[in-house]
């Protein structure tokens, strides 16, 4: 009697996701070879293998058939599985607004911290990148950043968020008006009126703004007649300097006619 065919079938095998396709193909080829047989007359073995499953997940069921000159064919089946890759979960930064009049260094630091609040999990050999072109200007502006997670399995995941610095308040300079004082007051009275007049120039707005005068120390005109013109300049961290001028005059004393 011909020796009966003994068919030893491969066992079901599961491979983890995130391997290369080459590694899966190699493991699949090795697995196929674990199905063997003995016996039979001029027996041959074949299978209906259609190829390894995708490295990102899937399964292939293979049926082996031993064809024998004596006796019926023997068959068995087993499944080779690659677990599904974990989907990418992208957690995006939220829109953030910073007040004006901070230093550029402070804005840059806040922006850098904000960039790191975008994170992701999952994917296969996934990497994250962004199109950041730098923090906005400390005097006002915004930067919109798009993050992209590239994954060996599945389409890229993207998200966007905006980092804004509010616009610096514009400088408003309110200038003293020209003032004329009559002659024949004391110099002390003129000096006091002049000092009061200087304080009528004011400003609002700007970032860390300061106001200076030219001349640096204005002096009242002579009580017997004359004038002093003062120029005020407001310097701000944001925006061009603002200037204005006004004149304080003491009318000439009437000449004595004897």
């Amino acid at each position: 009697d011909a020796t009966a065919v003994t068919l030893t079938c491969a066992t079901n095998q599961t491979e983890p996701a995130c391997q290369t396709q080459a590694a899966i193909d190699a493991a699949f080829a090795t697995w196929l070879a674990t199905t063997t047989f003995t016996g039979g007359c001029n027996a041959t073995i074949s299978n209906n293998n259609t190829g390894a499953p995708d490295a990102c997940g899937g399964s292939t069921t293979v049926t082996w058939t031993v064809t024998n000159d004596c006796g019926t064919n023997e068959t068995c089946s087993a499944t080779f599985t690659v677990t599904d890759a974990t989907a990418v979960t992208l957690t995006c930064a939220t829109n953030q607004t910073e007040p004006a009049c901070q230093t550029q260094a402070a804005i840059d630091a806040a922006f850098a911290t904000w960039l790191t609040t975008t994170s992701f999990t999952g994917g296969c050999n996934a990497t994250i990148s962004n199109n950041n072109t730098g923090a906005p200007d400390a005097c006002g502006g915004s930067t919109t950043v798009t993050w992209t997670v590239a994954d060996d399995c599945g389409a890229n995941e993207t998200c966007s968020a905006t980092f804004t610095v509010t616009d610096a308040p514009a400088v408003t300079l309110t200038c003293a008006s020209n003032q004329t004082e009559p002659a024949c007051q004391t110099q002390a009275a003129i000096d006091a009126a002049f000092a009061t007049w200087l304080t009528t120039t004011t400003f609002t707005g700007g970032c860390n703004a300061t106001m200076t005068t030219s001349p640096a120390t204005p002096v009242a005109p002579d009580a017997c007649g004359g004038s002093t013109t003062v120029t005020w300049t407001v310097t701000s961290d944001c925006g061009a300097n603002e200037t204005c001028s006004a004149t304080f005059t003491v009318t000439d004393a009437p000449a004595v006619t004897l």
Side-chain angles (χ1 to χ4, degrees), residues 212-241:
T212 58
T213 62
S214 177
T217 306
V219 176
D222 192 282
C224 292
S227 64
T228 298
T229 297
V230 178
T231 298
W232 289 266
T233 300
V234 177
T235 303
S236 169
D237 287 349
C238 297
N241 294 347

Side-chain angles (χ1 to χ4, degrees), residues 102-113:
Q102 300 181 61
T103 63
Q104 190 64 51
I107 293 297
D108 290 347
F111 182 75
T113 299

Side-chain angles (χ1 to χ4, degrees), residues 119-142:
S119 60
F120 76 94
T121 58
C124 282
N125 304 313
T127 57
I128 191 168
S129 60
N130 65 65
N131 64 347
N132 157 41
T133 56
D137 193 280
C139 292
S142 63

Side-chain angles (χ1 to χ4, degrees), residues 17-18 56 84-90 120-124 126 149 151 153-155 157:
C18 299
C56 292
D84 290 333
T86 306
V88 170
T89 300
L90 178 57
F120 76 94
T121 58
C124 282
V149 176
D151 173 28
C153 297
E157 296 288 329

Side-chain angles (χ1 to χ4, degrees), residues 26-231:
F28 182 74
T30 300
W31 175 77
L32 286 175
T34 62
T35 294
T36 59
F37 76 95
T38 59
C41 283
N42 303 314
T44 58
I45 190 168
S46 61
N47 65 64
N48 65 345
N49 159 39
T50 56
D54 193 280
C56 292
S59 63
T60 297
T61 298
V62 177
T63 299
W64 289 264
T65 301
V66 176
T67 303
N68 177 23
D69 288 349
C70 298
T72 58
N73 295 343
E74 296 289 330
T75 63
C76 73
S77 297
T79 301
F80 185 97
T81 301
V82 178
T83 57
D84 290 333
T86 306
V88 170
T89 300
L90 178 57
T91 303
C92 208
T94 56
N95 295 335
Q96 182 168 328
T97 300
E98 290 289 323
C101 299
Q102 300 181 61
T103 63
Q104 190 64 51
I107 293 297
D108 290 347
F111 182 75
T113 299
W114 175 76
L115 286 175
T116 65
T117 62
T118 294
S119 60
F120 76 94
T121 58
C124 282
N125 304 313
T127 57
I128 191 168
S129 60
N130 65 65
N131 64 347
N132 157 41
T133 56
D137 193 280
C139 292
S142 63
T143 297
T144 297
V145 177
T146 298
W147 289 265
T148 301
V149 176
D151 173 28
D152 286 350
C153 297
N156 294 344
E157 296 288 329
T158 64
C159 73
S160 297
T162 301
F163 184 97
T164 302
V165 178
T166 57
D167 291 334
V171 171
T172 301
L173 178 57
T174 303
C175 207
S177 54
N178 295 333
Q179 182 169 328
T180 300
E181 290 288 323
C184 297
Q185 299 180 62
T186 64
Q187 189 64 50
I190 293 298
D191 291 346
F194 182 75
T196 300
W197 175 77
L198 288 175
T199 64
T200 62
T201 294
T202 60
F203 75 93
T204 58
C207 282
N208 305 312
T210 57
M211 186 165 67
T212 58
T213 62
S214 177
T217 306
V219 176
D222 192 282
C224 292
S227 64
T228 298
T229 297
V230 178
T231 298

